[in-house]
Amino acid sequence: MDIRAILVGLAFALMWSSAFTSARIIVADASPLFALSLRYLISGLIGVAIALFLGQSWRLTRAQWRATIIFGVLQNAVYLGLNFVAMQTIEASLAAIIASTMPLAVGLAAWLLLGERLRPLGMVGLVAGIGGVALIMGSRLSAGVDLYGVMLCTIGVVALTAATLTVRGATSGGNFMMIVGLQMLVGCITLSLATLLFETPRLNPSWPLAIAFTYTCLVPGLAATALWFWLVNRIGATRAATFHFLNPFFGVAIAALLLGEQLGTRDVIGVVIIAAGILAVQLSRSAKA
């Protein structure tokens, strides 16, 4: 892995982790599904415009169209849609911690459902990661965390895990910026339908909302996704996913810095254990690859 890939991986992890804090700010002044569908409309159109400027085409391969639709529905609509709804009642740091367990869920599902052999280091990482989650959730449950919000975030992780396992390697072959833009437009269409069915749009214009919404559209929404696809195409999905071990650290740090969310000793210990577990699982899978 070269220094360029390392720097891109660090930037991706920081951008991805910051999305939970900006989402928490957004849902304070806007209904979640409406705000997210609007975000995907803007980010998607910008992404497609950049792709066309770069000479990319929307004539994708069948595998790329499949990946675009699956990711657009499962990642953009289900995963992020449920997280936006959940962050009306739970803290951004907790949502970030739950979401960061995705590499553990992918490793576990690949082992149980796809027959992928898991090395001893990976087994230790899975056990450690699950233990870290249990430690944090035990602390939060005793403090009266909203269980409905936790359930929504958990379902979101399952959806993202399914998308990741389903389209592994399908985004290779070029046109990655076009894929980024189109999958966001798929998410926009899906969430627009969900808004009509389940939500009464709400909007309270404010400067925090404007800043957070703009940031979310351009940085976690567009730049982070583009960096992720670039990273996957350069070093492979397994090695790229190693950078997810930084997400628990960055997620809770940004939420504490910008939102003033408090972290207990058990939260900090749990984050360290989860990060170590994610790193162990990814190193195990990377060594096998």
Side-chain angles (χ1 to χ4, degrees):
M1 190 183 300
D2 56 54
I3 186 64
R4 187 179 180 186
I6 293 174
L7 292 176
V8 169
L10 292 173
F12 160 75
L14 185 61
M15 292 177 183
W16 188 91
S17 303
S18 68
F20 299 93
T21 294
S22 60
R24 177 77 167 165
I25 296 172
I26 289 171
V27 299
D29 287 319
S31 53
L33 299 182
F34 169 72
L36 193 56
S37 62
L38 183 59
R39 165 198 155 175
Y40 280 133
L41 175 62
I42 296 172
S43 297
L45 291 176
I46 293 174
V48 170
I50 293 174
L52 292 174
F53 177 78
L54 295 174
Q56 296 182 16
S57 171
W58 51 48
R59 294 180 179 178
L60 309 180
T61 66
R62 181 175 297 180
Q64 287 177 327
W65 272 117
R66 178 168 164 264
T68 298
I69 295 172
I70 290 175
F71 259 102
V73 174
L74 292 182
Q75 175 181 279
N76 294 343
V78 179
Y79 163 68
L80 275 177
L82 292 178
N83 270 272
F84 263 58
V85 173
M87 274 185 285
Q88 295 177 111
T89 56
I90 68 172
E91 293 184 331
S93 57
L94 180 57
I97 290 169
I98 296 173
S100 69
T101 63
M102 185 273 291
L104 297 174
V106 169
L108 181 62
W111 174 46
L112 295 177
L113 303 179
L114 302 181
E116 182 178 300
R117 291 188 60 187
L118 202 59
R119 298 162 66 93
L121 179 61
M123 292 293 295
V124 172
L126 279 177
V127 173
I130 293 171
V133 173
L135 181 65
I136 292 174
M137 292 311 301
S139 173
R140 295 302 179 98
L141 287 174
S142 64
V145 70
D146 178 53
L147 293 179
Y148 179 67
V150 171
M151 181 189 69
L152 293 180
C153 289
T154 303
I155 296 174
V157 169
V158 173
L160 184 56
T161 300
T164 302
L165 291 173
T166 303
V167 300
R168 288 189 298 182
T171 56
S172 61
N175 291 324
F176 76 92
M177 180 55 74
M178 181 63 73
I179 293 173
V180 169
L182 291 176
Q183 71 160 318
M184 289 182 177
L185 293 179
V186 171
C188 171
I189 294 171
T190 307
L191 285 167
S192 295
L193 294 175
T195 300
L196 292 174
L197 292 173
F198 304 115
E199 188 176 83
T200 300
R202 169 181 60 87
L203 181 65
N204 178 34
S206 68
W207 280 113
L209 172 61
I211 295 171
F213 185 82
T214 303
Y215 174 83
T216 302
C217 287
L218 299 180
V219 181
L222 191 62
T225 307
L227 289 182
W228 172 251
F229 279 112
W230 182 92
L231 198 62
V232 168
N233 286 331
R234 187 174 182 89
I235 65 175
T238 300
R239 289 183 177 179
T242 304
F243 288 98
H244 278 291
F245 91 95
L246 295 169
N247 292 334
F249 291 114
F250 286 155
V252 299
I254 294 171
L257 179 65
L258 297 182
L259 301 178
E261 294 185 2
Q262 300 297 316
L263 293 174
T265 303
R266 292 171 65 180
D267 291 325
V268 175
I269 295 174
V271 165
V272 173
I273 294 174
I274 292 171
I278 293 171
L279 182 60
V281 169
Q282 292 307 131
L283 288 177
S284 173
R285 301 182 73 204
S286 180
K288 179 182 177 182

